[in-house]
């Protein structure tokens, strides 16, 4: 029930986010160009994007990666190996209010 746009790289996603309005960003840590960490840091530094919640979805499960996600401002950190669709959708619904 959600409209979703996909981009081929973090830079393309950030450019599009600056042109169009989004309710939430779902990003992978490992993307072509910029990482998901870099994407979220750039979005949080942009006055027009900083209020948009961002969720990291990744295969990286180290405490250091989780801490980095929190430090850049990710609203949630979801590990692909533990992915549960119901939990993911609940997270999206909670962040959308």
């Amino acid at each position: 029930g959600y409209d979703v746009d996909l981009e081929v790289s973090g830079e393309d996603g950030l450019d599009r986010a600056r042109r169009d309005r989004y309710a939430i960003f779902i990003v992978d840590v490992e993307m072509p160009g910029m990482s998901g960490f870099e994407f979220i840091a750039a979005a949080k530094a942009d006055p027009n994007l900083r209020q948009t919640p961002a969720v990291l979805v990744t295969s990286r499960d180290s405490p250091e990666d989780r801490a980095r996600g929190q430090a850049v401002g990710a609203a949630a950190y979801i590990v692909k190996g533990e992915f549960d669709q119901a939990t993911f959708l609940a997270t999206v619904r909670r962040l959308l209010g």
Side-chain angles (χ1 to χ4, degrees), residues 8-82:
V8 297
S9 71
E11 291 93 348
D12 289 347
L14 194 56
D15 287 343
R16 183 133 183 208
R18 288 179 172 142
R19 288 191 319 269
D20 300 330
R21 178 151 165 71
Y22 291 93
I24 191 169
F25 302 129
I26 311 291
V27 297
D28 197 331
V29 167
E30 297 172 4
M31 299 187 295
M34 68 172 32
S35 73
F37 297 126
E38 293 166 323
F39 177 95
I40 293 174
K44 295 301 179 186
D46 186 314
N48 296 316
L49 302 177
R50 70 172 43 126
Q51 296 303 317
T52 306
V55 177
L56 283 167
V57 180
T58 181
S59 59
R60 296 167 67 165
D61 190 22
S62 74
E64 295 82 12
D65 285 328
R66 287 178 179 271
R68 186 171 177 198
Q70 184 175 20
V72 297
Y77 192 97
I78 298 173
V79 177
K80 291 177 185 178
E82 302 167 359

Side-chain angles (χ1 to χ4, degrees), residues 83-96:
F83 186 83
D84 175 74
Q85 184 173 346
T87 301
F88 172 74
L89 291 173
T91 299
V92 169
R93 282 190 297 273
R94 175 179 57 83
L95 293 172
L96 293 177

